[in-house]
Amino acid sequence: MKKFLSIILALLMVLSLAACSGDANKKSGKDSAAQDKQEEIKAAVEGVLTVGIANAAIEVNNTSVPMPYILGDLESAGVPVDESVKEVELASGDFFSANLYLDEEEEYLIIPAYYNAGDDAINIADAQAEGITMTTYSDEPADQGVSIFGVTFGMAKSDILTTFGEPMYDGGDYLEWEVAVSDSDYTGSFTVYFTGDEDSALVSQVNLGLIK
């Protein structure tokens, strides 16, 4: 139940961020992909991580899929996409969180939160997402070849704190940093959930959401 509630809260966060983004979703995926060099992510200062827009990517099987996480780009990187997802149509103002399962047991998944900020209906293939979640139902998370900001399933909480420094919020079994983007007007949040509140607890969920 705790995992289910955390997923629901994560989805509400990224969907609200997407809904607030307005015309930002009109930018093409090619424009985002043009930001081709990722910056080194340094430890947070007073709970704020400063990154480049190219860092706002999800890595899948050593392939970087940039924000706004176009569905076709995720599939090309090796993320399985169910045919029913490809048939989704979004009316103006609609949003849709796509559950993209990474394994046959459906324990690991990626959830991009798509939003249609345009005036006309579009297929999900043409939709864009400025928020993304990777999460697992497993009690013993293990690396699945996907990462956000370099964070993979199964990393220890102590390693996350060493890498990113003190968060803006520490909920015991989750840590949250504010995000500032050095080369764009985006800001947002980066949240990592763990299997428990001890330092040895493992990463079970990662959320990244940006808005302008």
Side-chain angles (χ1 to χ4, degrees), residues 1 11 27 51 61 63 78 83 112-113 115 138 141 143 153 184 188 198 201:
M1 178 61 71
L11 292 178
K27 294 178 63 178
V51 304
N61 301 322
T63 298
E83 291 300 317
Y115 177 67
S138 174
D143 186 5
F153 291 117
S184 83
E198 63 275 13

Side-chain angles (χ1 to χ4, degrees), residues 47-66:
V48 179
L49 293 171
T50 300
V51 304
I53 191 64
N55 294 106
I58 185 167
E59 299 287 331
V60 182
N61 301 322
N62 296 316
T63 298
S64 180
V65 180

Side-chain angles (χ1 to χ4, degrees), residues 157 161 166-177 194 197 199:
K157 180 180 177 181
L161 284 167
E166 289 300 315
M168 184 68 71
Y169 306 103
D170 185 344
D173 62 351
Y174 78 91
L175 305 171
E176 182 174 315
W177 292 263
F194 304 93
D197 58 8
D199 285 347

Side-chain angles (χ1 to χ4, degrees), residues 74-109:
L74 288 167
E75 186 174 30
S76 295
V79 178
V81 180
D82 189 88
E83 291 300 317
S84 63
V85 173
K86 296 179 182 180
E87 296 172 358
V88 171
E89 300 286 327
L90 283 76
S92 177
D94 279 358
F95 54 81
F96 182 82
S97 293
N99 290 340
L100 309 178
Y101 292 95
L102 298 170
D103 61 321
E104 292 183 357
E105 292 77 20
E106 297 188 347
E107 285 192 321
Y108 294 87
L109 65 158

Side-chain angles (χ1 to χ4, degrees), residues 14-88:
V14 294
L15 292 176
S16 64
L17 289 173
C20 291
S21 62
D23 290 340
N25 276 342
K26 295 180 180 178
K27 294 178 63 178
S28 71
K30 297 297 182 182
D31 290 340
S32 293
Q35 308 290 341
D36 57 0
K37 186 175 181 180
Q38 295 192 4
E39 299 179 5
E40 178 185 358
I41 300 178
K42 298 179 180 179
V45 176
E46 296 183 349
V48 179
L49 293 171
T50 300
V51 304
I53 191 64
N55 294 106
I58 185 167
E59 299 287 331
V60 182
N61 301 322
N62 296 316
T63 298
S64 180
V65 180
M67 191 267 288
Y69 318 115
I70 301 300
L71 189 65
D73 293 344
L74 288 167
E75 186 174 30
S76 295
V79 178
V81 180
D82 189 88
E83 291 300 317
S84 63
V85 173
K86 296 179 182 180
E87 296 172 358
V88 171

